[in-house]
Amino acid sequence: MGDEYAISGEYLHLLSEPAWEGLRAPVTEALHGAVGDGTLLDVGAGTGLGTEVLAAAAPEADVVAVEPSPVLRAVLLSRMTARPDLRQRVTVVAADALGAVLPAPLGAVLAMNMIGHLDPDGRRTFLRRVADRLAPGAPLVLNLQPPAEPKPVPFSVFGAVPVGRHTYEGGGSAEPSGPDTVTWRMRYRVLDADGTPLREDRAAYRWHVTPARGLIAELTEAGLTAEVGPLDVVRAVRRP
C-alpha cells in the first residue's frame, strides 16, 4: 500500500500548526482523566502535534505514537528526538490503526484527524480494540471532520504559512465517491514573496464520512460513553 501522504507530507506540518493552536485547549480538556500508570496511545500521530499534547496529559506515562506514513513519521521522529523529555518517553511505531499492536492498559488514546481513513467495518473494529484496553476512566479522544455526508465541498484555501521569502499554501475540494465516502482533491503551492506560484503539487485521497450521531452510536456499541465538545472534539470513556 502506498503512502497517501507522499506528496502532502512536505506541507502538512506547517499547515496543521495553526489548526492545532485552536485544538490544543479542547483536546487537553478532553484528555482529562488520563491514567499515568497506563500507556498513552496516539493513533495516526502524523508529525506529532497531538503527541505533544497527549504526553503533557500524563507527564509520567510512556507514549506510543502510531503512524503509517514514512514521510510524516520522519518528521515525527525528528521532533520527538529534539526534545530530551519526549525522546525518553515516546516510542514511534510504523503501523496503521488496525495493524498496530495495542498495549494494555491504555491510559488515554488520541486519534485526531484519522477516523475517516477507516471504512465502517474498520472503524468499528478499531473502536472495539481500543475500548477493550482502556483503563477505567481513561479517555479516548478523536474528532469529527466535515463533510458529515457524501456531498460536494467547493474548493477553498485552508491555510497559508510564510517561511522566509516563501509562503506555503494548501487548499482542496471534495466530491462524493461512494455511499459513505468523498474523494478530497488537494492543491499545495509554494508562493514567492510577490505571490507568484513557484511550485504546485496535487494529491487525492478517499475519506469515509462520519456523522456525529453515527459515531456516537458506534462508540456506544463498543461499550463507551461519548460526548461531542468544542471544535467537534469527541471524548469517550468506558462504561462501568
Side-chain angles (χ1 to χ4, degrees), residues 77-228:
L77 273 168
S78 65
R79 295 185 67 244
M80 295 301 104
T81 56
R83 287 185 49 176
D85 57 329
L86 296 185
R87 187 186 187 114
Q88 301 304 314
R89 295 174 56 205
V90 178
T91 299
V92 175
V93 175
D96 59 24
L98 300 180
V101 176
L102 304 186
L106 292 170
V109 178
L110 189 63
M112 294 292 291
N113 305 321
M114 57 71 63
I115 201 70
H117 285 302
L118 303 176
D119 64 25
D121 288 341
R123 191 169 61 237
R124 294 186 187 97
T125 297
F126 169 69
L127 295 177
R128 287 195 300 269
R129 293 182 73 209
V130 168
D132 288 345
R133 292 164 175 80
L134 275 176
L140 161 63
V141 178
L142 60 159
N143 63 326
L144 296 158
Q145 291 178 281
E149 56 184 297
K151 62 180 182 181
V153 178
F155 179 86
S156 64
V157 173
F158 301 149
V161 179
V163 180
R165 292 191 296 270
H166 294 166
T167 295
Y168 291 77
E169 176 192 272
S173 62
E175 292 291 337
S177 53
D180 72 337
T181 60
V182 296
T183 295
W184 280 98
R185 304 194 183 281
M186 309 300 294
R187 186 192 75 183
Y188 301 97
R189 298 196 301 175
V190 181
L191 309 177
D192 207 348
D194 62 359
T196 302
L198 299 174
R199 185 156 54 89
E200 179 175 304
D201 287 310
R202 292 181 179 265
Y205 64 90
R206 199 178 187 203
W207 187 258
H208 294 269
V209 298
T210 315
R213 64 183 181 278
L215 181 60
I216 295 298
E218 291 174 3
L219 288 163
T220 301
E221 290 172 6
L224 302 171
T225 299
E227 59 181 359
V228 181

